[in-house]
Amino acid sequence: NSTVHFDDQPNKRKHLIEDIELLLPRPSNEQQLEPSLKAMINSSPVLIQGQRYVGESGMETRLSLQLKDIDPQQYLTWLPGMADTITAEAQQADATLELIFQEQDDQGPTLTGTFNATSLHIHQLQPVQAIAPQENTGKQVSLNADVKIPQLTLAFRAVPLQQFYTIEKLIIDGATFDLHTSSEPIHNKELLTIASDLLNPEAFRLAVDKLSLKNSTITSTATGSKSESKQAWQDIQLDLNNYHNTKATNFLAKKTQATALFSMRNEESLISFQGDVAPNLNLSGRITLKNMDATMLHSALEPTIRLSKGKLHLTGLVHSEQIDKDEKNRLWQFSDSSIKITDFTVKDQGTL
């Protein structure tokens, strides 16, 4: 009959959990009672029932919960500050959760679960300060995102006390990512930096067993420039397997090489990559670029030399390395490669 008052000050919301009854039978309990949790959450009854049995690591107690037709936004309110940052809604969303207590394990309880959603819409309410645009001007770019996902499937495992989270499976099909910036449209270099911020956070350990993004699109619109400019990519395919971030490197007992297969195109250009991925998202593998904007070569040229137009074609092996502590800038090395630039104009110190 315990009571918990949860005061979410950032979201200015209060939650009441009362009439709590938690039963965790001891292994020596001859009555063999099944574990259970009863409570009233914001006046709504919740019943969680579990099982106790001998698992691979000794005696285990499991509490299971099934949630049907849930409102994703309602669960965001339990994460401080999130409800004021993004909104989330879905036509249909279901989840299953299982809390595992292993009596011989000192790492704390494990939470596993699945989440399935159709017509999921995520909108960012407040812009974030993203990475600087090309040419390293040092300016901060304000970034807003609007994401629509027709179908999402997620399976996860978390050990909260160890700050270790595993995405066992994440499948996203037909998503549209609409990005609005206060400067130039986001380019390929910035997309990799955004991926690095998402997959290699400094705050916690992250592993991704399988991530599949299929048939998706990204549209980047510069809303702060004098004349609005837009860049769009279609047919985005990404398969990432066996990845773990830098913070998880020394935590995992068994490590496997992460691999990635990626491709996307627009009306005339194509980017594809297949190879290995390091914890800090350094890449090593085969890359193909077709009909790309030749100005992306500026970082490899002398500062006084600039391409005002042209198309770049490249195929070969690529390897990237970080060249600064914050891992925002990378050195790209190419070998066994062929490169061709067509219809280009070169300026040296502003002179053709």
Side-chain angles (χ1 to χ4, degrees):
N1 296 318
S2 300
T3 300
V4 175
H5 295 271
F6 182 76
D7 187 2
D8 184 1
Q9 295 182 354
N11 291 320
K12 298 180 180 180
R13 291 182 175 89
K14 293 183 178 181
H15 304 277
L16 177 62
I17 307 175
E18 55 187 344
D19 298 333
I20 302 172
E21 296 182 15
L22 175 62
L23 176 63
L24 291 176
R26 295 177 178 273
S28 59
N29 193 328
E30 297 179 357
Q31 296 180 354
Q32 295 297 314
L33 297 176
E34 297 293 346
S36 64
L37 172 64
K38 296 180 181 180
M40 296 288 291
I41 301 179
N42 295 334
S43 301
S44 298
V46 173
L47 172 61
I48 305 174
Q49 294 180 320
Q51 295 178 336
R52 195 194 71 190
Y53 62 95
V54 179
E56 296 180 357
S57 301
M59 188 67 69
E60 290 185 353
T61 299
R62 293 175 177 248
L63 298 174
S64 300
L65 174 65
Q66 289 189 346
L67 303 171
K68 298 290 186 181
D69 197 18
I70 64 175
D71 178 9
Q73 187 66 31
Q74 180 180 356
Y75 289 88
L76 285 178
T77 62
W78 291 87
L79 301 176
M82 288 295 290
D84 290 335
T85 304
I86 65 174
T87 61
E89 58 182 0
Q91 179 180 340
Q92 177 73 33
D94 303 320
T96 63
L97 300 173
E98 186 172 52
L99 190 60
I100 305 171
F101 298 89
Q102 294 181 338
E103 298 181 12
Q104 303 300 322
D105 191 352
D106 59 359
Q107 293 187 354
T110 298
L111 177 68
T112 66
T114 63
F115 177 76
N116 296 278
T118 58
S119 300
L120 179 64
H121 183 196
I122 302 172
H123 177 68
Q124 183 181 328
L125 295 175
Q126 297 179 352
V128 298
Q129 296 302 310
I131 36 73
Q134 287 183 329
E135 305 300 321
N136 295 321
T137 60
K139 298 179 181 179
Q140 289 292 312
V141 179
S142 177
L143 173 66
N144 269 97
D146 190 82
V147 182
K148 295 180 179 179
I149 305 175
Q151 188 69 42
L152 180 144
T153 300
L154 169 67
F156 66 90
R157 175 180 292 267
V159 187
L161 294 183
Q162 303 299 319
Q163 295 183 312
F164 184 40
Y165 304 88
T166 300
I167 297 175
E168 296 179 329
K169 179 176 67 174
L170 176 58
I171 299 177
I172 299 174
D173 193 0
T176 59
F177 300 85
D178 193 3
L179 310 178
H180 294 264
T181 71
S182 60
S183 184
E184 304 176 17
I186 293 179
H187 295 274
N188 313 313
K189 176 182 175 181
E190 284 77 17
L191 287 175
L192 183 58
T193 303
I194 292 174
S196 180
D197 292 339
L198 292 174
L199 292 174
N200 190 25
E202 297 180 358
F204 56 87
R205 302 177 177 96
L206 176 66
V208 180
D209 294 342
K210 178 179 177 59
L211 187 155
S212 178
L213 177 67
K214 302 182 291 184
N215 308 314
S216 298
T217 62
I218 293 178
T219 301
S220 174
T221 305
T223 57
S225 55
K226 294 181 180 180
S227 60
E228 184 176 274
S229 55
K230 180 179 293 187
Q231 186 178 47
W233 293 93
Q234 300 87 32
D235 293 342
I236 299 174
Q237 313 288 334
L238 170 63
D239 286 302
L240 177 65
N241 298 284
N242 302 319
Y243 171 79
H244 64 271
N245 72 341
T246 303
K247 193 175 179 66
T249 299
N250 296 327
F251 186 78
L252 295 172
K254 181 180 180 181
K255 305 178 186 65
T256 56
Q257 177 62 59
T259 60
L261 177 64
F262 172 78
S263 65
M264 66 180 185
R265 67 170 185 85
N266 58 21
E267 293 180 354
E268 59 179 14
S269 303
L270 170 70
I271 299 176
S272 68
F273 170 82
Q274 182 175 4
D276 298 336
V277 182
N280 59 4
L281 289 190
N282 277 334
L283 305 178
S284 181
R286 178 162 292 277
I287 191 171
T288 298
L289 306 176
K290 292 183 179 180
N291 287 320
M292 297 295 296
D293 187 348
T295 59
M296 67 184 301
L297 290 175
H298 282 173
S299 60
L301 300 175
E302 292 293 331
T304 60
I305 300 177
R306 286 294 176 262
L307 298 167
S308 60
K309 65 176 184 177
K311 293 298 181 182
L312 169 67
H313 309 264
L314 184 148
T315 59
L317 300 179
V318 65
H319 176 73
S320 66
E321 293 182 0
Q322 259 71 43
I323 58 176
D324 54 19
K325 292 183 179 180
D326 62 6
E327 301 185 349
K328 299 299 183 184
N329 295 310
R330 299 173 188 266
L331 173 66
W332 296 88
Q333 299 174 323
F334 296 91
S335 61
D336 296 331
S337 303
S338 64
I339 182 171
K340 180 173 68 173
I341 306 175
T342 59
D343 300 325
F344 64 93
T345 300
V346 178
K347 291 184 178 180
D348 187 355
Q349 296 182 345
T351 304
L352 287 175

